[in-house]
Every structure is written in C-alpha cells, then in structure tokens.
Amino acid sequence: MTTNHSEQENDFQSFGFRPELLSGITEAGFLTPSPIQRQAIPLVLEGKDLIAQAQTGTGKTAAYGLPCLNRIKLNDGMQVLVITPTRELALQVSDELFRLGKNLGIKTTTIYGGASYSKQISQVTKGAQVAVATPGRLLDLLKTKEFRNFKPKMVILDEADEMLDMGFLEDIESIFAFLPEERQTLLFSATMPDPIKKLAGKYLKHPAHVKIAVTEKASKNIEQVYYIIDEQERDNAVVRILDFENPFKAIVFTKTKKEADDLKTNLSFKGYPVEALHGDLSQKQRESVLKSLHSGQVKILVATDVAARGLDVKDLSLVINFHLPFDSESYTHRIGRTGRAGKSGKAITLVTTRESRALSRLKGTSGTELTIATLPTKKDVQAKRHVDFITKILETEVNTDAEEIFAKLCEKEDKATVSLKILSQILDKVKISGPEKIGKSATEWSEHPPSGGGKRRGSGERSGGRSGRPNSSSSGSGYKSSGKGSSAPAAKGGKPQRFRNK
C-alpha cells in the first residue's frame, strides 16, 4: 500500500513542480493526475497558449492552476488572472487555487459583483498574485483605472462556452483591450461553438490543443434512467423519486427561475430540506444557499443551469432533470454533478410523450445509455422504507432511557403489543403523498410508443411552465425572488420530516 501511494505521488513529481506546491497537492488529496491534467500541465509549463476542451468535473482547475502557480514569483504583483462566468465558480476556483498554493505563500483574491469595490481593489493593489474574476465586475474596475500595474502574465478563460451563453463575449473582448500583449492565454471550454473558436483565434497565439472525450468521465459511474410522465405529473414525480431514492444530496435542474422557486416551495411544504439557486438571488443569498448545501443542512438544491454551472458538491448521489435538457452538452454537464471521484451516482430524467423525438436525438448525440424505467408506486416506496427501517433498527444500539421506558410500558401491556404500538407510532408519522401510480410504465411505452413524437408544445403542455400555472420565460424576466422563497405554512403539528440521511 505504501508503494502504491509513492508511485501515485511520483506522477505529480514528474512535472517538476516546486516542493511547496507538491506538498499542497498532497494536502489537497490529489494522488494521480486526471487525463486533462496529464495532457495540459506540460504544455502550460512550457509557456504555450492552450485551447482545452473538457467537461466540468474532469479536474481542469488544477490542470491550469498547478502549472500557473508553479511559475509565480512572489514579488512581481498580479501574475495570474482567471475569468469565470459566475460568482459561485469564481469562489470555488479561488478556494482551490489558494488551497493548492498556500505553501508557496501566494495570495489569491476573488473579484465579483455584489461585494465591496474598495476591498477588491485593495487586495489587488496590495500584492495578490492571483485574481479570479467574473467579467462584469472586472471590466468595471479596469474601466475606472483603479487597478495599478494590472499586467497578468497568465490569463485563463474558464467555462468559455458558458460565458458565451450568458452574453459575456463582448465584455471578454473589452477586457482583453486592457491586458498586456505579452501574456500566456489559456482557454478551457466544455464545447467549442464557432464564436468561441473565433475568440480563440483572435487572442491566442499558436495555441496547443487538448480535448478530453465527453464520455470519458461524465457517464462512467452514473446510472442513467428516464421516466415517461404526463406534463402535469412533474412535481409529483420529483416527490416520488426523492421518497424512493432517499439521496444523501440531490440537485433538481429546472429550465426557469420561476420553476425553481415553485418546486422549492412545494418540496419545502412537504418537509424536505431544500433551497433554490438561480440568477435572481443576491450574492449574500446565493452564498447562504451554498453554505447550507455544503454543510448538509440542505439536502436538495433546485437550480437552473446557469446558477449551477461549475458547482462541485461532495457526496451528491442524485441528479434529476425536471425537463429533458435542450442538448447533449447540457445533459452531460448536468449529470456530471454526480458520480465523481470514483463514486457511483444516478441521473433521472423526466420525459413526456411529446418529447420522444428529442429523447431519441439526445440518446444519439450524448454517447450515453439512457434506460427507460417505471416510476415507483406508493407500495414500492413503502416496501423499500420497511426494508430500510428494519435495517436501521437492527443496527441501533439500545440505550438506558429506552430500556426504562420499555419496562414501564410492559407493566401495562405485553411486550408484543408494546412493540407493535411503538412501530405504529413511528410509521404513522411518515406519509407517502401523491397518487398510487405516476407516469407510464416501461411496458406501456414500449407497446404503444407515440408515432413521431408530435409537437413539443400544445394545449396542456407549455414550454417552461407547468399545467395550470402561469407560463414563464426562460430568462425569468419580470419575476423577482426574495431568495429564500415563501414557503407555504406547515400543516398542524408542524412539517413532517420525510427526508432522511441514509
């Protein structure tokens, strides 16, 4: 075992990193380079510009971070600039770079909207060597000329395609006007649409290219299932899935901000520890949601794609697609939140009969195996809970208080009756909501598939909305959230605690 550990450490030692950086790698628990790290690190160390295509979760932060940290000189001011699309990703990247480079004495700062301008300016001007920034706030500060001697030698565009989707391409071009001509530029992106290729051609000089196959990491340890439902069954289907799967942590991806808030309110009313994450939340609210999720206080996150981009949640065992994603890249990105670090995960997608063509297209382009299944019935959930309950009881150690109470109860009833009453009281507290059966069975679908799928929109199925509720645009325009959401009042006796850790 000692030999294996030494061999794994030698994989990073072979890059010629400084001893202080190697100790940071070891302390962070990195043992062997991922494919993107193995290919990108030598190129970055050589000072080459680089275009790297890799999915989130493949270790790309360390792929550019480690070689950049290794080349930093402490007294040369700002040397590394990382530009990310969202505040959450900026904070995560900054934390990881600080963790890896702390033994080098490197200072890292994060630049994003919703925080103090003066503090961010001070951290840069007082000697931070690494800045991780979102485009909008960085451009604001560069235009005001508050950053003196802001001449990073290494510039990294992280999640470039997401910055394109969020409309930041113009800001990125404006930012490059403030950057020195002599620099090393690295571009990391999950996909390479034409605008990103043009951007790379304009600002990168004779770049090297690295591409990690989409399916290499994303689907290896992930069980992928889809359920056929009617449009109005989406909420009930999510509840049924959570009841049956009982995940340690889960993310439900929605199309719109309003959907995220509506579903969060519904789940919260039913007793689930849940929060929503989307673009209408203030920075303070977003940080509070993520802190609750990482600490385990919140077990379920309902999020839009943009808000969840770059999130790295430990022990995430389940991803639910509230709608069929628009394309294979989005699907791969979503399910890649789980099944990380060698652990197994599960991804469940809700599909209506009208989406059969889109489903076939997704299967063909994603390079993954999606298996049709039947949503569990109430009886299925109950049977699984009974098995889990029996296992938990058998594993529980008896304490003295329990012995005393049981002895007193047995003075009034026989042991069998007492035991049955205790079990009945416990089981009565947890009710399974929703109809007995939700959606179509796999057999029904295979025997009577729709011919051609039909139109994707029509009466009873509105894009971005749920039956019987106002429709909502994908941008969520006109809708403002308080962040925490207005949970419906609890029923008498308080909320039922229906979500448990395994």
Side-chain angles (χ1 to χ4, degrees):
M1 189 169 180
T2 304
T3 304
N4 287 339
H5 182 71
S6 176
E7 288 174 357
Q8 288 175 319
E9 285 186 337
N10 284 338
D11 283 343
F12 278 106
Q13 289 171 0
S14 66
F15 294 123
F17 289 143
R18 290 149 66 181
E20 298 89 346
L21 183 57
L22 284 171
S23 65
I25 293 169
T26 302
E27 289 171 15
F30 290 11
L31 297 176
T32 188
S34 68
I36 184 64
Q37 292 163 4
R38 198 176 296 279
Q39 294 186 45
I41 287 173
L43 297 169
V44 179
L45 287 172
E46 290 174 22
K48 293 183 177 180
D49 284 10
L50 175 67
I51 297 174
Q53 188 172 346
Q55 298 296 120
T56 300
T58 54
K60 59 184 176 55
T61 302
Y64 63 72
L66 290 173
C68 288
L69 292 171
N70 194 70
R71 298 175 61 198
I72 285 177
K73 297 178 182 178
L74 289 183
N75 298 320
D76 277 7
M78 178 60 59
Q79 293 160 69
V80 177
L81 170 64
V82 183
I83 305 175
T84 69
T86 67
R87 292 170 282 194
E88 288 75 28
L89 183 56
L91 289 165
Q92 288 186 35
V93 169
S94 183
D95 287 345
E96 183 164 346
L97 295 182
F98 172 77
R99 186 166 50 117
L100 293 170
K102 63 181 180 181
N103 295 329
L104 291 166
I106 290 171
K107 297 177 183 176
T108 304
T109 187
T110 316
I111 300 168
Y112 56 88
S116 167
Y117 276 92
S118 59
K119 184 177 180 181
Q120 293 174 355
I121 293 168
S122 174
Q123 288 175 341
V124 171
T125 56
K126 288 185 178 179
Q129 294 90 6
V130 179
V132 185
T134 54
R137 172 56 65 89
L138 176 62
L139 185 57
D140 285 348
L141 292 174
L142 290 173
K143 284 180 176 178
T144 60
K145 299 181 181 180
E146 292 286 354
F147 284 170
R148 298 182 207 62
N149 298 319
F150 190 78
K151 298 178 180 179
K153 298 178 176 65
M154 292 162 273
V155 177
I156 300 98
L157 297 178
D158 197 357
E159 304 279 13
D161 54 348
E162 186 64 16
M163 285 192 272
L164 169 67
D165 291 343
M166 294 176 68
F168 285 136
L169 208 57
E170 197 173 306
D171 285 352
I172 296 297
E173 298 215 29
S174 298
I175 287 168
F176 271 105
F178 291 93
L179 301 179
E181 283 291 326
E182 293 300 318
R183 65 176 187 271
Q184 180 182 14
T185 309
L186 314 175
L187 185 150
F188 282 73
S189 187
T191 60
M192 284 292 165
D194 286 339
I196 297 300
K197 291 177 182 177
K198 291 178 182 177
L199 183 75
K202 188 173 181 179
Y203 295 108
L204 277 70
K205 300 173 183 177
H206 310 294
H209 290 76
V210 169
K211 183 176 181 179
I212 304 300
V214 169
T215 56
E216 182 172 351
K217 177 84 174 180
S219 62
K220 187 178 180 182
N221 303 314
I222 304 170
E223 179 188 357
Q224 299 172 61
V225 170
Y226 66 96
Y227 295 125
I228 304 296
I229 61 165
D230 290 329
E231 180 65 27
Q232 68 273 13
E233 294 180 308
R234 292 194 190 274
D235 281 35
N236 281 336
V238 171
V239 171
R240 181 60 51 82
I241 291 166
L242 293 174
D243 280 348
F244 186 79
E245 298 291 340
N246 190 21
F248 186 77
K249 288 181 184 176
I251 292 182
V252 185
F253 282 103
T254 63
K255 281 183 180 178
T256 69
K257 303 168 188 176
K258 187 176 188 309
E259 274 186 343
D261 277 324
D262 287 348
L263 183 58
K264 180 260 177 182
T265 300
N266 187 14
L267 293 177
S268 180
F269 176 58
K270 293 180 183 297
Y272 295 93
V274 58
E275 281 291 358
L277 187 69
H278 55 65
D280 276 351
L281 303 190
S282 69
Q283 180 58 22
K284 187 175 181 180
Q285 289 169 335
R286 290 154 77 101
E287 289 177 358
S288 175
V289 168
L290 292 175
K291 184 178 179 181
S292 298
L293 182 66
H294 287 302
S295 69
Q297 183 179 351
V298 166
K299 301 292 184 182
I300 307 165
L301 185 67
V302 185
T304 57
D305 278 311
V306 170
R309 188 75 177 201
L311 280 182
D312 187 8
V313 182
K314 291 182 179 179
D315 300 317
L316 184 73
S317 58
L318 178 66
V319 168
I320 302 174
N321 292 310
F322 195 66
H323 291 274
L324 189 71
F326 290 114
D327 51 43
S328 60
E329 287 83 2
S330 178
Y331 176 78
T332 304
H333 161 71
R334 288 181 177 187
I335 70 170
R337 304 297 95 201
T338 186
R340 293 188 171 199
K343 295 181 180 179
S344 61
K346 189 169 186 177
I348 295 174
T349 303
L350 301 179
V351 183
T352 66
T353 54
R354 293 177 180 272
E355 296 172 315
S356 60
R357 282 181 176 172
L359 176 65
S360 298
R361 187 166 57 248
L362 178 65
K363 286 181 177 181
T365 57
S366 65
T368 56
E369 291 292 332
L370 285 86
T371 304
I372 188 171
T374 304
L375 266 163
T377 63
K378 291 176 76 169
K379 289 182 180 178
D380 294 332
V381 175
Q382 189 177 53
K384 186 173 183 293
R385 284 185 173 178
H386 287 176
V387 171
D388 293 342
F389 187 51
I390 290 169
T391 301
K392 190 172 183 180
I393 287 177
L394 293 175
E395 292 176 350
T396 301
E397 293 185 8
V398 177
N399 61 45
T400 54
D401 287 342
E403 288 178 341
E404 290 178 7
I405 293 172
F406 189 75
K408 290 180 180 179
L409 288 170
C410 289
E411 292 174 1
K412 302 180 182 298
E413 299 272 9
D414 63 89
K415 290 183 179 181
T417 303
V418 169
S419 299
L420 290 171
K421 286 186 175 182
I422 292 172
L423 289 173
S424 298
Q425 187 179 51
I426 294 171
L427 294 173
D428 282 346
K429 287 184 178 180
V430 182
K431 299 296 183 183
I432 303 167
S433 64
E436 172 63 28
K437 179 179 177 292
I438 301 171
K440 298 183 181 299
S441 70
T443 304
E444 288 173 324
W445 174 256
S446 61
E447 290 178 351
H448 305 286
S451 56
K455 295 180 181 179
R456 294 192 63 187
R457 297 186 189 183
S459 61
E461 182 173 358
R462 291 174 286 188
S463 175
R466 281 174 281 191
S467 179
R469 296 185 182 179
N471 199 8
S472 170
S473 70
S474 61
S475 64
S477 59
Y479 180 79
K480 297 295 181 185
S481 166
S482 64
K484 290 294 181 183
S486 54
S487 299
K492 284 186 178 181
K495 294 179 182 178
Q497 296 301 312
R498 302 178 61 239
F499 196 95
R500 307 172 306 284
N501 289 342
K502 289 185 178 178

